[in-house]
Every structure is written in C-alpha cells, then in structure tokens.
Amino acid sequence: MKIFALHNSRGFGELVANELGVALGEHEEREFEDGEHKSRPLENVRNQDVFVIQSLYSDYEKSVNDKLCRLLFFLSALKDASARRVTAVVPYLCYARKDRKTKPRDPVTTRYIARLFEAAGADCILTIDVHNIQAFQNAFRCTTEHLEAKKIFADFLIPQLTTDDAIVIMSPDIGGIKRAEQFQQSISKRLNQELPVAFMEKYRSSGEVWGEKVAGDVKGKTVVIIDDLVSSGGTLARAGVACKRAGAKKVLAVATHGIFTGEPDKTLQEESLQQIIVTNTIPPFRLEHTQVKEKVKILNAAPLFAEAIKRMYEGGSVAELLQD
C-alpha cells in the first residue's frame, strides 16, 4: 500500500498516515512559468494499492478547479506508472451540491465530476458526508465508499448531553431529514432514550433563501441542528433564530464540512447559536481573523479515514465501521 497527499492536503494526509503508522509517499509537484504544472510519484507504485488524499475546496492559493485538475493528473500518472488500484481519498468532494436539474437546461455537475474521475483512471472514490448520497452513488460507475461523521459528532456531544436534557435533533431543511434521522438513532441508542426529530421549511431560488417555520416541538429543549456543510452560515443562523423564537433553551449545530464563506462574523455571531461543530475535512482558514472562531469546534476526521483505508486495503468491511 502507498499513500500520497498532494501539497494542499498535506496536513490532513499526515494525520491519516500517522494513524496508520506509515509514511506518506514521496512525490513531485512542479509549477511552470505559464501556469501549467505537473505531478508525479517519486516511488515505485507498480502493482501497488495506492491512495491519494486531496480535499477539493478553494483557498487563498488555489481554486477548487485547480486542485481538481492536479488530483486528476496525479491519478492518471499513477495508472501510467502501473499502479494496480488507485483510490482518490477526497475528504471534501467539490460540486456535490449540483446533483440534479432544478431549472431548464441546468447542468448535473456531480455526474460530470464522476466522469472526470473515471476518465483519469480512478478505481474508487472515498469521501465523507456528500450533499446527497443517492446522487453521489448513482453518478459514479467506479466503486464508491461513503463515510459518515455522525459517530465523531456523537462521541463529542454525548458527554455534554445528559438524560436530564430534553433533546431534539433538527434538520435545517426537509431534504436533510434522512441525515437527521440517522443521527437521531445514533444519539438515542447511546443515551438510551428516544429523541424527537424536527425540521425547518426552506426554499431557495437564484441564491435567495427563505422560510422560517419549525416543524416539531423545540420549546424548552436543547436543539442539535445537523447538516452536511456550513457555507455562508445563513441556513444555520436562520434555524438558530427560528428555534429560539419557538422557545428552545439551547441550540448547537454540527456539520461535517466547514467552508465558512462570506462574512462569518456577521452571519454566525447570532447569539441563538451557542456552538458550531465541524470536522477538519476543510481547514478553518477563513476563520483565522474572526471572532466567531471562538464558538467553532474542529473535530478530527483523520482516524475515520485511516481506518477506512486500512479496511479497504485488507479486505475488511467499511459498512461495519459506520455502525453504532
């Protein structure tokens, strides 16, 4: 087995490698004066099972498209170097939100991304908490492995929640009900009590979001809002305000991917949100000079990825890894 991490995800790659007790593979990423680039492994990969780590988000140095292009080129270079099996380990998968046509002649970008990975020679895609798991699985013809962060969040939250707390698990929109139900089942099993699920109405068109009604009883209760990601934070802020207006005692939010675009201090400083919990699939670089970072907790998803990689390599069950 060989594990590589491209430069922009080197930090996360080192965390995964440390969990596995291996060293990251040596590789070269070279920039050319005209903006072109090349990348190649500096180790023999012939007949090897190779995993390549690259999280696909934009930062201050490279766009998401640039990172995607570099990952695809590196996967192809590995196949050309006779790697037996190549797995793209993508903690955050780009373009996963555009998974269906919502307007005439809309693109289905998730499917186009799948074609790019397959054309580059990827044998498998390993990721976590995509926006729509059914669309993700249907888009790819190569093997896919989908992880969930619910156990990471449960391990963190359970010590903070007691049986005296009246807890409600909430989806900030009806589309996330299944995710909320699965998280509710995980928390309920650990607390040995059946928890209710609530959701908010949400409508979106041309970048505008509206809807403020809460479906479910949250009065006097601790509400845990769960979502796949935090982008501008508007959805979470809306949900937090709506829960407080409905009488919630406390509101927490958990989301796997913390993108934090826009103006986090303006959007997420809302007092109704006591804490926001995300994982390190995306480094919180946009929060460096903000005040809201004090209420954001970053959890480590690398051990989960490391265990999944180990099981994939050894022929173990990834499905069992996700069971409570």
Side-chain angles (χ1 to χ4, degrees), residues 129-134 146 148 150 169-186 197-199 226-228:
D129 283 333
V130 295
H131 186 65
N132 183 329
I133 185 172
Q134 290 84 7
H146 183 261
E148 299 169 353
K150 62 180 182 179
I169 307 301
M170 181 178 186
S171 170
D173 56 57
I174 195 169
I177 281 290
K178 188 64 177 179
R179 181 182 296 107
E181 288 177 343
Q182 292 174 340
F183 189 54
Q184 173 261 347
Q185 292 168 7
S186 181
V197 175
F199 69 91
I226 182 165
D227 210 347
D228 59 314

Side-chain angles (χ1 to χ4, degrees), residues 9-143:
S9 291
R10 181 82 184 184
F12 191 85
E14 288 176 345
L15 292 175
V16 172
N18 288 340
E19 290 288 333
L20 291 170
V22 301
L24 288 175
E26 294 294 325
H27 76 287
E28 175 190 29
E29 291 182 52
R30 183 179 172 189
E31 310 288 334
F32 296 102
E33 293 79 0
D34 61 355
E36 294 183 3
H37 51 79
K38 78 167 186 178
S39 55
R40 66 186 178 111
L42 297 177
E43 301 180 7
N44 178 28
V45 295
R46 185 179 296 275
N47 294 328
Q48 294 287 315
D49 202 349
V50 184
F51 297 83
V52 184
I53 300 172
Q54 173 84 310
S55 198
L56 298 175
Y57 59 91
S58 292
D59 58 26
Y60 300 136
E61 295 181 358
K62 292 183 175 62
S63 72
V64 59
N65 299 322
D66 195 7
K67 291 181 180 181
L68 173 62
C69 186
R70 290 165 186 264
L71 175 58
L72 295 173
F73 287 177
F74 192 71
L75 297 176
S76 293
L78 289 168
K79 295 298 285 189
D80 285 347
S82 300
R84 181 177 63 85
R85 175 181 167 88
V86 176
T87 299
V89 181
V90 189
Y92 177 69
L93 180 64
C94 61
Y95 295 108
R97 284 176 279 181
K98 196 69 190 82
D99 54 28
R100 63 191 178 95
K101 291 178 180 287
T102 54
K103 294 183 178 180
R105 296 170 295 281
D106 252 3
V108 185
T109 319
T110 300
R111 178 157 46 87
Y112 310 156
I113 291 294
R115 290 175 178 174
L116 290 173
F117 274 106
E118 291 158 5
D123 297 292
C124 181
I125 309 296
L126 172 64
T127 189
I128 184 170
D129 283 333
V130 295
H131 186 65
N132 183 329
I133 185 172
Q134 290 84 7
F136 165 71
Q137 291 172 335
N138 287 329
F140 285 85
R141 296 298 172 263
C142 65
T143 305

Side-chain angles (χ1 to χ4, degrees), residues 261-282:
T261 57
E263 301 177 279
D265 270 343
K266 182 177 179 180
T267 307
L268 294 171
Q269 275 292 53
E270 172 58 51
E271 293 182 358
S272 58
L273 279 175
Q274 274 75 41
Q275 191 173 39
I276 302 167
I277 305 152
V278 298
T279 74
N280 58 345
T281 57
I282 299 175

Side-chain angles (χ1 to χ4, degrees), residues 308-319:
I309 289 172
K310 179 181 178 182
R311 293 181 181 218
M312 291 170 66
Y313 176 65
E314 296 178 348
S317 172
V318 176

